[in-house]
Amino acid sequence: MQAQAGEVVKVQAPKIELKRRTFTFRVKRYDPKTGSYRWSEYKVEVTNRQTVLDALLKIKATQDPTLAVRYSCRMGICGSCAMVINGVPRLACETKPFDLGTDVIVLEPLSNFPPVKDLVVDMDEFFRKHRSVKPWLIRRDEEEQFEKLESYYPQTEDQLMEYLEFAYCIKCGACYAACPMVFLNKNYLGPQALAAAYRWSADNRDEGYVLRLKVVDSDNGVWSCHYSGTCSKVCPKGVDPALAINLLKKSLLTGKAPGKR
Ligand code: FES
């Protein structure tokens, strides 16, 4: 029914029935003192509105304060809480136990990262690779970029669309953990850094594509990617790093800078 002008329409939020269930969480824990892994098992009651991260925090508060977990925003933005959940890299704060379809939920630290403690991994190398592609706007004229306050870099909607989907990356490391080529070659830049290289090079305001080629167009750059596509399958933000890598390859083979598909 159409609302009449001036009529107040009350919209009722759909009611989600609250359910409770006890799940078993099997957690693979790394002990930095012994350099070895062990498994711990916890039973926790959660509701259908709670996430794996909520369950882990409940375990820490009520059963085992020594369990190490990393998190910050609790809303799928900071990327801190990525871990392997039932064999798939995901964000713990966006994954609900009720949606996984199993009573036993297996949690492991992200693959392809050195462990720090329990579910926390060391992301230094991952961020070093990210930085190596110069993920920022580069202008040839630094004086114009940094000194002239009136500098203005226009961008049309079409130009924005050339890279927008790749700008949603939250650097959680899920793609890197899922990549078989990172597993085989620790020097490979990996899907996150290469997608960032594409994102910045495809930005019409950027002039740094040539400066990124040294790392992008190398054995440990795009040519290490065998296009398994696992990175794109696990991205919690719907980014498609495999596409970005293929677009970079296309640019290198055609000699045309990214930004024009
Ligand atoms: Fe920030 Fe999960 S805690 S993404």
Side-chain angles (χ1 to χ4, degrees):
M1 204 198 317
Q2 198 116 36
Q4 303 299 311
E7 186 185 350
V8 178
V9 180
K10 281 190 185 160
V11 180
Q12 275 212 317
K15 279 204 176 119
I16 302 169
E17 189 195 342
L18 194 64
K19 295 181 195 155
R20 291 177 191 280
R21 204 160 107 208
T22 297
F23 290 87
T24 300
F25 288 85
R26 289 199 72 217
V27 185
K28 186 177 182 184
R29 306 178 65 179
Y30 178 73
D31 182 347
K33 285 194 190 123
T34 60
S36 59
Y37 290 94
R38 70 194 154 106
W39 289 91
S40 293
E41 223 168 85
Y42 310 93
K43 288 196 188 308
V44 195
E45 186 189 82
V46 293
T47 72
N48 52 339
R49 295 182 196 165
Q50 287 183 301
T51 64
V52 168
L53 180 60
D54 293 327
L56 285 168
L57 296 181
K58 199 168 173 182
I59 290 167
K60 273 179 78 66
T62 61
Q63 299 184 43
D64 186 351
T66 69
L67 181 62
V69 186
R70 177 167 45 213
Y71 70 100
S72 177
C73 71
R74 300 182 72 171
M75 55 173 78
I77 292 173
C78 73
S80 304
C81 67
M83 60 185 67
V84 177
I85 303 175
N86 281 1
V88 180
R90 314 176 206 240
L91 295 181
C93 74
E94 280 199 333
T95 307
K96 292 183 177 153
F98 269 76
D99 295 342
L100 290 171
T102 54
D103 290 328
V104 178
I105 294 170
V106 181
L107 305 178
E108 297 168 84
L110 283 181
S111 326
N112 295 338
F113 288 87
V116 173
K117 185 173 186 300
D118 299 341
L119 295 167
V120 179
V121 294
D122 182 349
M123 300 188 83
D124 279 2
E125 179 65 4
F126 172 76
F127 285 119
R128 188 197 64 72
K129 289 175 177 175
H130 177 69
R131 273 198 307 279
S132 77
V133 303
K134 303 183 191 299
W136 53 82
L137 281 185
I138 298 171
R139 303 288 296 185
R140 279 188 219 107
D141 186 343
E142 288 198 3
E143 193 191 331
E144 164 244 32
Q145 185 177 13
F146 296 111
E147 305 299 335
K148 295 186 184 163
L149 295 178
E150 72 278 11
S151 294
Y152 166 62
Y153 309 115
Q155 185 164 72
T156 65
E157 197 172 299
D158 283 349
Q159 287 168 331
L160 173 67
M161 291 308 140
E162 292 294 335
Y163 70 84
L164 184 63
E165 65 190 278
F166 304 106
Y168 292 128
C169 169
I170 57 170
K171 302 165 201 67
C172 64
C175 60
Y176 193 85
C179 176
M181 295 316 293
V182 174
F183 178 76
L184 292 173
N185 172 14
K186 293 290 174 230
N187 294 320
Y188 172 41
L189 283 181
Q192 191 285 327
L194 289 169
Y198 182 82
R199 176 261 175 269
W200 290 100
S201 300
D203 190 317
N204 70 293
R205 302 164 299 177
D206 179 82
E207 297 171 337
Y209 172 59
V210 173
L211 296 177
R212 296 185 185 102
L213 289 185
K214 195 173 161 217
V215 291
V216 168
D217 185 12
S218 69
D219 287 349
N220 293 322
V222 290
W223 307 115
S224 259
C225 171
H226 288 200
Y227 203 61
S228 71
T230 46
C231 52
S232 302
K233 281 189 195 127
V234 301
C235 176
K237 295 288 137 187
V239 179
D240 189 347
L243 172 63
I245 295 169
N246 265 9
L247 290 170
L248 281 171
K249 284 180 181 172
K250 180 180 160 193
S251 291
L252 292 168
L253 293 172
T254 59
K256 262 177 73 179
K260 291 279 160 285
R261 290 190 209 170

